[in-house]
């Protein structure tokens, strides 16, 4: 009996000792079950009041609101936005609005849905969509082949903006545009919008090019340039057109300035200055083109500095040109500049050209004399200018002729005797 009571007491002690631990485990299980059960029933609702609004040239504002009926929880919510047109794109955000730079002449449409931001085990909500319709206008009346270029010039009139960027755009008239169509161009850079004032026209006096000598564009900027062209006509509604340009892709870099070259022995030293640009000197790559006039071949060297020293054949003449481009270190790869004006260095080639000229002159003179000689021979000019002097007849020759003819017959002797007598009479007349 005593032993039985001791066993009961030990069991009670064990239960008392383990009771707190059991309670902790039981509480954790209840809490875990409470957290898991709502997730299975928790549904994400789509956003509401989703709108798309054109707020500027080639710029739209997407805006939506969280669903007010969404059940509150500790789960962080986000949004999955999908651009359907004009070009497919998607991204996730926790914001409820987004500004987008995009072309709008084809229209714009997008969709958005609610997604769990961290817990991807939950299913996203359904999609809600909105659309911005394409602007009206007759098909085929909008411009085509719109191209634009920028160029930087030094501005000595202001210290705040030492460089000015010009803009030049060209386009072709729409294939179905009426003859009285007139186009008008605008550009937007950041928040600045400007209308073109200087146009070039075709034979029908329609605007086909635009020139901005000064703009608000920053040549070092990374923003897109938006160009918008609309039009008017009495015969049809002209459809507008817009296009986005990356500045690095349309910026025409100036050629390097003050290119000089010098030969010392067999060393050719070439030096130049960086192009007129808002970018500093270390932001340029260069190509140097050297033409060997004697051997007739080009040598091209790539440089990151503004000096080149190379070994050459000192008996030749060299033609040198340099061009530049903004380095990828400072901006995305863009256009190369035009080649600089060629400079010449080396042996003077005037003497060989003079020799060839003299040879050509001598050959021409000889050719003229030859032709003149042939003409004189054909037309007997020499005989007319210098007639031959007649000489006295030889009586001895006449005597032998008569003797020979007497042998052949009497009839021939009479003829020859007659000739002889005539010749004699002529001689007598000349003597007396």
């Amino acid at each position: 009996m005593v032993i039985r009571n001791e066993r009961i007491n030990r069991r009670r002690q064990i239960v008392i000792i383990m009771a707190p631990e059991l309670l902790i485990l039981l509480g954790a299980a209840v809490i875990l079950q409470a957290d898991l059960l709502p997730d299975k029933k928790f549904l994400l609702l789509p956003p509401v009041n989703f709108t798309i609004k054109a707020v500027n040239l080639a710029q739209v504002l997407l805006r939506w609101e969280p669903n007010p009926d969404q059940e509150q929880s500790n789960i962080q919510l986000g949004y999955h936005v999908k651009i359907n047109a004009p070009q497919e794109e998607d991204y996730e955000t926790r914001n409820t609005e987004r500004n987008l730079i995009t072309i709008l002449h084809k229209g714009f449409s997008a969709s958005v849905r609610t997604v769990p931001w961290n817990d991807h085990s939950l299913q996203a909500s359904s999609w809600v969509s909105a659309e911005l319709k394409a602007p009206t206008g007759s098909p085929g009346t909008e411009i085509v082949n719109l191209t634009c270029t920028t160029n930087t010039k030094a501005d000595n009139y202001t210290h705040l903006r030492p460089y000015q960027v010009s803009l030049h755009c060209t386009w072709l008239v729409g294939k179905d545009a009426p003859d009285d169509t007139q186009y008008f161009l605008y550009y937007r850079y950041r928040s600045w919008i400007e209308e073109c004032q200087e146009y070039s026209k075709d034979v029908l006096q329609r605007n086909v090019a635009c020139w901005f000598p000064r703009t608000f564009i920053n040549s070092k900027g990374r923003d897109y340039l938006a160009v918008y062209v609309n039009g008017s006509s009495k015969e049809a509604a002209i459809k507008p057109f817009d296009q986005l340009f990356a500045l690095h892709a349309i910026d025409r870099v100036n050629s390097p300035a003050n290119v000089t070259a010098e030969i010392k022995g067999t060393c050719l030293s070439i030096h130049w200055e960086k192009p007129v640009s808002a970018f500093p000197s270390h932001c340029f790559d260069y190509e140097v083109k050297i033409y060997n006039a004697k051997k007739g071949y080009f040598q091209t060297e790539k440089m990151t500095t503004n000096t080149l020293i190379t070994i050459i054949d000192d008996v030749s003449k060299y033609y040198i040109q340099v061009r530049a481009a903004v380095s990828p270190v400072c901006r995305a790869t863009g256009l190369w500049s035009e080649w600089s004006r060629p400079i010449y260095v080396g042996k003077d080639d005037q003497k060989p050209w003079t020799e060839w000229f003299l040879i050509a002159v001598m050959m021409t003179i000889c050719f003229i004399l030859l032709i003149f000689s042939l003409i004189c021979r054909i037309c007997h000019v020499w005989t007319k200018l210098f007639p031959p002097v007649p000489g006295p007849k030889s009586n001895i020759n006449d005597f032998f002729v008569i003797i020979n003819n007497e042998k052949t017959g009497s009839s021939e002797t009479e003829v020859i005797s007659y000739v002889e007598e005539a010749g004699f009479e002529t001689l007598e007349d000349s003597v007396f």
Side-chain angles (χ1 to χ4, degrees):
M1 193 73 180
V2 174
I3 295 173
R4 184 177 180 182
N5 290 334
E6 288 179 357
R7 290 178 179 176
I8 293 173
N9 290 334
R10 288 178 183 177
R11 289 176 180 174
R12 288 178 180 175
Q13 290 177 356
I14 292 172
V15 171
I16 293 173
I17 294 172
M18 296 182 63
E21 296 178 359
L22 293 173
L23 290 174
I24 293 173
L25 292 175
L26 181 60
V30 171
I31 294 173
L32 181 60
Q33 185 177 8
D35 289 339
L36 291 176
L37 289 176
D39 285 350
K40 295 178 181 179
K41 300 178 181 180
F42 191 77
L43 297 177
L44 297 181
L45 302 179
V48 296
N49 299 330
F50 179 39
T51 58
I52 301 174
K53 182 180 179 181
V55 294
N56 217 329
L57 297 182
Q59 184 176 4
V60 293
L61 174 63
L62 280 63
R63 180 176 290 170
W64 60 90
E65 297 175 1
N67 196 308
D69 297 330
Q70 179 67 59
E71 182 181 351
Q72 298 298 321
S73 69
N74 295 327
I75 300 175
Q76 294 182 344
L77 301 181
Y79 303 96
H80 181 194
V81 181
K82 182 169 65 174
I83 311 301
N84 303 316
Q87 186 175 356
E88 291 187 358
E89 178 188 355
D90 66 324
Y91 64 92
E92 291 187 353
T93 179
R94 297 197 65 190
N95 299 322
T96 57
E97 65 178 30
R98 176 74 180 270
N99 266 302
L100 288 177
I101 307 299
T102 179
I103 59 173
L104 296 176
H105 68 274
K106 295 181 179 180
F108 185 91
S109 64
S111 302
V112 62
R113 65 179 179 177
T114 307
V115 295
W117 190 249
N118 294 324
D119 188 357
H120 297 286
S121 63
L122 290 177
Q123 186 176 2
S125 73
S126 59
W127 292 97
V128 291
S129 301
E131 181 182 9
L132 191 66
K133 293 187 178 298
T136 59
S138 300
T141 59
E142 70 275 14
I143 66 166
V144 294
N145 293 350
L146 175 63
T147 59
C148 294
T149 57
T150 59
N151 184 250
T152 302
K153 298 294 182 184
D155 189 352
N156 299 323
Y157 298 101
T158 175
H159 296 289
L160 297 177
R161 298 189 66 188
Y163 299 99
Q164 285 292 338
V165 178
S166 62
L167 174 64
H168 183 249
C169 295
T170 62
W171 59 88
L172 296 178
V173 175
K175 61 182 179 65
D176 296 324
D179 292 344
D180 70 336
T181 301
Q182 196 56 280
Y183 294 107
F184 307 97
L185 182 142
Y186 305 79
Y187 84 84
R188 181 182 65 81
Y189 180 71
R190 295 178 180 171
S191 60
W192 289 287
I193 298 177
E194 192 173 3
E195 181 182 359
C196 181
Q197 303 297 326
E198 299 184 26
Y199 288 102
S200 298
K201 302 178 181 292
D202 64 5
V203 293
L204 297 178
Q205 295 301 304
R206 297 176 294 190
N207 296 335
V208 292
C210 169
W211 165 251
F212 292 92
R214 299 165 66 93
T215 66
F216 294 100
I217 299 171
N218 180 4
S219 60
K220 297 173 66 176
R222 300 178 182 270
D223 303 88
Y224 277 94
L225 173 70
V227 178
Y228 174 83
V229 182
N230 60 11
S232 63
S233 171
K234 294 180 180 179
E235 301 180 14
I238 306 302
K239 196 170 184 179
F241 180 85
D242 58 354
Q243 188 169 337
L244 296 175
F245 295 94
L247 288 182
H248 71 271
I250 65 171
D251 183 28
R252 188 166 297 280
V253 181
N254 293 301
S255 301
N258 299 329
V259 181
T260 59
E262 182 182 11
I263 292 179
K264 291 183 178 180
T266 58
C267 288
L268 171 61
S269 177
I270 307 170
H271 181 79
W272 59 90
E273 295 179 4
K274 85 172 187 73
V276 175
S277 173
F279 286 97
S281 299
H282 70 271
C283 285
F284 287 94
D285 292 333
Y286 300 98
E287 282 189 354
V288 184
K289 183 167 62 176
I290 305 171
Y291 176 68
N292 188 320
K294 179 181 178 181
K295 298 181 180 179
Y297 73 89
F298 285 98
Q299 171 187 350
T300 303
E301 300 288 345
K302 294 185 180 293
M303 301 293 297
T304 56
T305 61
N306 60 347
T307 299
L308 170 64
I309 299 176
T310 183
I311 304 299
I312 54 142
D313 182 358
D314 61 344
V315 297
S316 180
K317 189 170 185 178
Y318 296 89
Y319 303 77
I320 299 165
Q321 292 178 287
V322 186
R323 67 176 182 174
V326 179
S327 171
V329 175
C330 299
R331 189 180 68 180
T333 303
L335 302 173
W336 281 92
S337 73
E338 298 292 336
W339 288 102
S340 63
R341 291 183 178 181
I343 62 171
Y344 312 99
V345 66
K347 183 180 178 182
D348 189 4
D349 289 341
Q350 292 299 322
K351 183 177 179 181
W353 281 109
T354 304
E355 291 177 358
W356 280 110
F357 176 75
L358 292 176
I359 291 172
V361 170
M362 295 300 296
M363 292 181 65
T364 304
I365 293 173
C366 292
F367 180 74
I368 293 172
L369 291 175
L370 179 61
I371 296 298
F372 182 73
S373 252
L374 291 173
I375 293 173
C376 290
R377 184 176 181 85
I378 293 172
C379 299
H380 302 288
V381 176
W382 292 113
T383 306
K384 295 178 181 179
L385 294 176
F386 308 102
V389 178
K393 273 191 174 182
S394 175
N395 294 329
I396 298 173
N397 292 335
D398 294 340
F399 174 76
F400 284 112
V401 171
I402 293 171
I403 293 174
N404 291 331
N405 283 285
E406 284 178 350
K407 295 178 180 180
T408 60
S410 59
S411 61
E412 293 180 2
T413 304
E414 291 178 359
V415 175
I416 295 174
S417 297
Y418 173 77
V419 174
E420 181 185 0
E421 290 175 358
F424 180 75
E425 290 175 359
T426 304
L427 182 60
E428 287 180 348
D429 292 339
S430 64
V431 173
F432 300 99

